């Protein structure tokens, strides 16, 4: 029986526009569930490859526990790999070096290869600088040897990318775009959140802080388990719009806010693909906005046709996993046209929440305390409205809340840097609405 999950697409929107209305918003919810009769989240036969990148720059030796914890975490990740998954370990400093295997390549996970990799990890020493682009370039070369399947990397660093230019890193990210997924972790508090966020966003991965090195083992295990639970690689959201329409944006809004608009790849006349990475049994939500020409009252228009696809090789048709329609209908009924869809409003608010936190923290860092107070106060209001209790709790470590409803806050004078970075890294993580109402679109409909 196939281990590929069953995909469904649900469209949630208010399709009614006022006379002259042009902008259509919809939340596209994609859910993948284990195929009937299949064992969930254990795709044993799915081809996969994993590259673990460990920062071994000089700063990883201060304190000594940092590199030791990173080595232990890498060993846990290796033990978590399924037998047969091809893997490698890279050491990163001013340049990238192979840890295991000794020569550039990937090796199938087995009891013997796992033990050999652990022996090699025990020899790691910290020295040199940080040039993350070179680490990713070597990982990309290793993935070149993996023909098809899931390609996942873990990147751990404790510092800033000081030994190559921003342009060097951007060039590598452009090269690696769409070739593998990379989850990024910063250990300690001497690294740049914006820098790792840029890498994770470009490579469709996650970013997070592990302030205490002791937490690395559990985090590496969780990341590797999640990667091993994927069973479909290189899924894309294909969006078709009428000739007279303009697709304004496509954003992932759950489990985190990621703007996918700039990642569009033209796939057919009036259609483009937005990469979503690999999938297991999970659900994600996307916010689609389309601008259409005004229509007559009573007229209904398909503003977008959304398909979940696995793109085919050159000359081959894409595999369509599920599809749904985004509709527009003009009305002179003001009650219908002015109703804001609850889920569209909810996710619009959470996208604003992420921006408010990041802008507020940046203003605080730059000494613009008025802007920082205003933006973080707005974040308190939005987090409360969304029911995002985790973010609310993190905000209270950075500001004293005078009035939650109005967003009246005072900046705390002494803030633990780890708390500030934790709020920054997790600002884009979102939660579902308290009341989740959706309109179901059956597979293949359209």
């Amino acid at each position: 029986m196939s281990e590929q999950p069953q995909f469904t697409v649900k469209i949630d929107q208010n399709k009614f526009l006022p006379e002259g209305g042009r902008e259509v918003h919809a939340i596209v919810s994609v859910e993948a569930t284990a195929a009937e009769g299949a064992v969930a989240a254990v795709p044993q036969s799915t081809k996969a490859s994993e590259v673990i990148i460990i920062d071994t720059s000089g700063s990883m030796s201060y304190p000594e526990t940092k590199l030791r914890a990173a080595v232990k975490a890498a060993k846990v990740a290796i033990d978590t790999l399924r037998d047969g998954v091809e893997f490698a370990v890279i050491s990163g400093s001013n340049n990238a070096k192979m840890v295991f295997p000794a020569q550039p390549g990937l090796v199938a996970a087995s009891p013997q290869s796992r033990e050999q990799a652990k022996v090699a990890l025990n020899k790691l020493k910290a020295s040199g600088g940080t040039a993350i682009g070179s680490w990713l370039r070597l990982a990309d070369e290793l993935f070149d040897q993996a023909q098809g399947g899931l390609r996942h990397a873990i990147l751990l660093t404790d510092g800033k990318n000081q030994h190559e230019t921003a342009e060097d890193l951007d060039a590598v990210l452009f090269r690696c775009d769409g070739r593998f997924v990379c989850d990024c972790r910063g250990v300690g508090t001497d690294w740049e959140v914006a820098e790792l966020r840029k890498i994770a966003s470009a490579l469709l991965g996650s970013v997070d802080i592990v302030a205490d090195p002791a937490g690395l083992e559990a985090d590496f295990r969780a990341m590797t388990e999640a990667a091993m639970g994927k069973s479909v690689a290189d899924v894309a959201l294909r969006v078709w719009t009428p000739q007279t329409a303009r697709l304004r944006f496509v954003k992932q809004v759950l489990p985190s806010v990621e703007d996918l608009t700039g990642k569009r790849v033209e796939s057919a006349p009036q259609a483009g693909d937005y990469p979503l990475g690999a999938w297991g049994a999970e659900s994600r939500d996307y916010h689609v906005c389309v601008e259409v020409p005004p229509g007559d009252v009573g007229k209904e228009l398909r503003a977008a046709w959304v398909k979940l696809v696995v793109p085919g090789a050159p000359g081959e048709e894409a595999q369509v996993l599920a599809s749904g329609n985004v509709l527009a209908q003009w009305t002179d009924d003001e009650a219908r046209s002015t109703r804001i869809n609850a889920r569209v409003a909810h996710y619009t608010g959470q996208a604003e929440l992420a921006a408010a936190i990041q802008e507020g923290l940046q203003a605080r860092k730059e000494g613009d305390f008025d802007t920082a107070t205003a933006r973080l106060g707005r974040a308190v209001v939005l987090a409360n409205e969304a029911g995002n209790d985790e973010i609310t709790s993190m905000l209270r470590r950075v500001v004293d809340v005078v009035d939650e409803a109005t967003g009246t806050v005072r900046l705390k004078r002494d803030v633990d840097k780890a708390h500030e970075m934790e709020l920054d890294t997790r600002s884009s993580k979102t939660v579902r609405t308290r009341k989740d109402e959706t309109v179901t679109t059956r597979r293949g409909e359209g």
Side-chain angles (χ1 to χ4, degrees):
M1 180 172 291
S2 171
E3 294 172 334
Q4 179 171 302
Q6 299 295 310
F7 288 87
T8 57
V9 166
K10 297 178 181 179
I11 307 292
D12 201 30
Q13 66 166 134
N14 175 21
K15 70 177 182 179
F16 293 103
L17 299 178
E19 293 183 75
R22 303 176 65 94
E23 200 165 270
V24 183
H25 291 265
I27 300 300
V28 179
S29 296
V30 179
E31 184 172 12
T33 55
E36 187 176 349
V39 178
V42 191
Q44 298 294 334
S45 65
T46 302
K47 183 175 174 57
S49 51
E50 182 81 30
V51 175
I52 301 167
I53 307 170
I54 302 296
D55 185 341
T56 55
S57 60
S59 58
M60 285 291 287
S61 62
Y62 304 105
E64 290 182 12
T65 54
K66 202 187 295 182
L67 183 57
R68 287 203 301 267
V71 167
K72 287 181 180 179
K75 291 178 179 179
V76 166
I78 290 167
D79 281 338
T80 308
L81 297 173
R82 299 191 310 271
D83 283 347
V85 170
E86 296 183 316
F87 78 102
V89 183
I90 291 172
S91 161
S93 57
N94 294 72
N95 49 44
K97 298 177 182 177
M98 294 299 302
V99 176
F100 178 81
Q103 299 302 317
L106 297 167
V107 175
S110 67
Q112 181 181 16
S113 64
R114 289 189 183 93
E115 190 58 35
Q116 291 170 341
K118 292 176 188 179
V119 170
L121 277 163
N122 288 335
K123 300 175 183 176
L124 285 183
K125 297 187 182 302
S127 65
T130 305
I132 297 176
S134 68
W135 313 351
L136 293 169
R137 187 183 302 108
L138 178 54
D140 185 53
E141 292 169 359
L142 296 176
F143 283 122
D144 261 346
Q145 302 177 34
Q147 298 300 313
L150 304 159
R151 301 170 301 281
H152 178 256
I154 293 174
L155 187 154
L156 175 71
T157 186
D158 76 328
K160 302 168 187 174
N161 195 42
Q162 295 177 321
H163 293 85
E164 64 184 6
T165 66
E167 291 75 18
D168 289 337
L169 178 58
D170 288 343
V172 173
L173 292 177
F174 179 80
R175 164 182 166 162
C176 296
D177 184 15
R179 292 169 61 84
F180 61 94
V181 172
C182 184
D183 288 321
C184 300
R185 294 295 183 268
V187 60
T189 57
D190 293 327
W191 52 281
E192 289 286 346
V193 174
E195 194 167 70
L196 276 199
R197 179 183 286 125
K198 178 171 75 170
I199 296 168
S201 180
L203 302 181
L204 299 177
S206 63
V207 60
D208 210 343
I209 180 175
V210 185
D212 184 348
L216 285 173
E217 287 185 56
D219 196 55
F220 271 48
R221 179 183 292 109
M223 282 189 288
T224 310
E225 286 177 345
M228 293 299 95
K230 306 295 185 186
S231 53
V232 185
D234 304 325
V235 177
L237 195 69
R238 179 166 294 177
V239 184
W240 172 94
T241 52
Q243 282 186 333
T244 54
R246 180 171 71 94
L247 190 58
R248 294 197 58 204
F249 62 75
V250 175
K251 297 178 182 179
Q252 177 180 283
V253 289
L254 186 91
S256 62
V257 177
E258 291 288 348
D259 193 344
L260 303 177
T261 310
K263 292 181 173 291
R264 179 185 176 101
V265 176
E266 298 300 323
S267 56
Q270 301 162 234
D273 287 358
Y274 298 84
L276 309 184
W279 280 70
E282 60 188 295
S283 61
R284 305 179 202 172
D285 292 348
Y286 301 90
H287 185 175
V288 175
C289 178
V290 184
E291 186 178 304
V292 295
D296 297 331
V297 170
K299 179 182 179 181
E300 184 172 277
L301 170 75
R302 178 158 69 178
W305 186 11
V306 178
K307 297 179 182 179
L308 197 71
V309 303
V310 177
E316 294 182 2
E317 290 291 322
Q319 178 189 3
V320 179
L321 304 172
S323 67
N325 291 311
V326 177
L327 304 175
Q329 184 174 338
W330 287 266
T331 180
D332 54 10
D333 183 336
E334 187 175 358
R336 279 183 160 184
S337 65
T338 57
R339 180 175 64 86
I340 299 175
N341 178 270
R343 297 190 72 220
V344 170
H346 172 77
Y347 284 128
T348 300
Q350 290 202 77
E352 184 187 349
L353 169 62
I357 290 172
Q358 292 167 28
E359 291 165 7
L361 292 176
Q362 183 62 33
R364 185 178 184 278
K365 185 184 296 185
E366 294 170 354
D368 184 354
F369 300 123
D370 288 342
T371 298
T373 301
R375 299 305 289 143
L376 293 173
R378 177 61 178 159
V380 167
V381 173
L382 292 167
N384 181 50
E385 289 177 350
N388 199 328
D389 298 333
E390 182 181 7
I391 292 297
T392 296
S393 177
M394 291 180 186
L395 280 163
R396 287 179 176 273
R397 295 172 176 173
V398 177
V399 297
D400 291 315
V401 179
V402 179
D403 187 331
E404 193 171 58
T406 62
T408 304
V409 303
R410 288 191 297 266
L411 299 179
K412 289 182 182 287
R413 283 191 176 184
D414 298 313
V415 176
D416 188 315
K417 189 176 180 183
H419 289 163
E420 188 177 51
M421 293 175 71
E422 182 180 48
L423 174 61
D424 196 354
T425 58
R426 298 179 187 171
S427 60
S428 59
K429 290 181 170 59
T430 54
V431 296
R432 286 197 187 277
T433 55
R434 289 190 175 101
K435 185 177 181 183
D436 189 10
E437 296 178 350
T438 57
V439 178
T440 304
T441 302
R442 291 184 296 277
R443 179 186 175 111
E445 183 174 308

